[in-house]
Amino acid sequence: MDEEGAVLGVDVGGTQIKWVLWSPGAGVLGHGELRTPRSGPPAVLAAVAELIGDGKAGAAGVAVPGHLTDDLRAVRLLPNLPGPWEGLPFAAELESRTGVRVRLVNDARAFALAELTLGAARGRQDVLFVTMGTGIGGALALGGRVLRAGGDRVGELGHMICRPGGPACGCGSRGCLEAVAGGSALVTAVRAGGGRARTPEEVVREAGRSGGLERSVLETAGSALALVLGNVVAYSGVSAVVVGGGVAPAFAFMRPAVEAELAARVRLVGRVDLRLAELGSGAGALGAALAATTRAPHPTNGEI
Ligand SMILES: [Zn+2]
């Protein structure tokens, strides 16, 4: 059936679906990507089922940009893809179409699992993971395991409030870190200041060209990130922070504020290792593959 126990990891993103065929013994056997259909869940389901159903993998892990139900079989909240995703039995649908066992995983938790197992946090036990993209996601590993619990929100530091009464967030609250320092928020802030950046990448590029406005927006966002990271590090006891995601280059402009905040708390938190992720944009798909290799088909709360 499968190549050396190969598993397929699929990362369903807002714009692209990335996949990797991976085996514990041979590593990456293949990878690729396609555009995410925007017409709704049936088209996304069909595209993912086609990837899984080609017969190369004995199991599949699928990362989604949202929160899963407690049994990890369905989507509970998935705001960044068009269509009615809530309650959709994604795993069962894929299994019935392909005959392959499917594990669902949140995309930030998949990123964390990959970086913890094969990337920047290899060999570490207690690590906070931050994903910088359109929004800000995260995950927490303690004792060498990426944690999860009911509600699938462990590690979601993007919704910690850093500016009480601040900008409205997609979650319904105000002043969340994501609403201040997420990729969309960076673009909004630059445009409000008269800048012309249309994407977070352009904000970072302009800041690198000594764009004063863009640099100041990133530094302001950095102070918000520093506040949240300082709190989370103090609270969780992690000794390392790994930053990744498509907008991670923005972290270069935020790092001084984060380092200053952690230095101010050194008596409590000790020396905290700040690292950039190592596995690139394929980390989510790789983490989904790793999740699919977990023995228990539907793990209970505690870890992914
Ligand atoms: Zn929020």
Side-chain angles (χ1 to χ4, degrees), residues 158-159 169-173 176:
H159 299 285
C169 180
C171 75
S173 191
C176 294

Side-chain angles (χ1 to χ4, degrees), residues 34 48 59 98 130 148 179 184 186 229 242 289 294:
L34 51 129
V48 176
T98 63
V130 185
R148 76 174 302 278
S184 294
L186 299 177
L229 287 185
V242 173
T294 310

Side-chain angles (χ1 to χ4, degrees), residues 64 67-69 73-78 85-88 90 104:
V64 296
H67 298 163
L68 306 175
T69 53
R73 301 291 288 163
V75 171
R76 190 178 65 75
L77 178 68
L78 204 164
W85 285 91
E86 281 71 18
L88 186 80
F90 205 46
L104 297 183

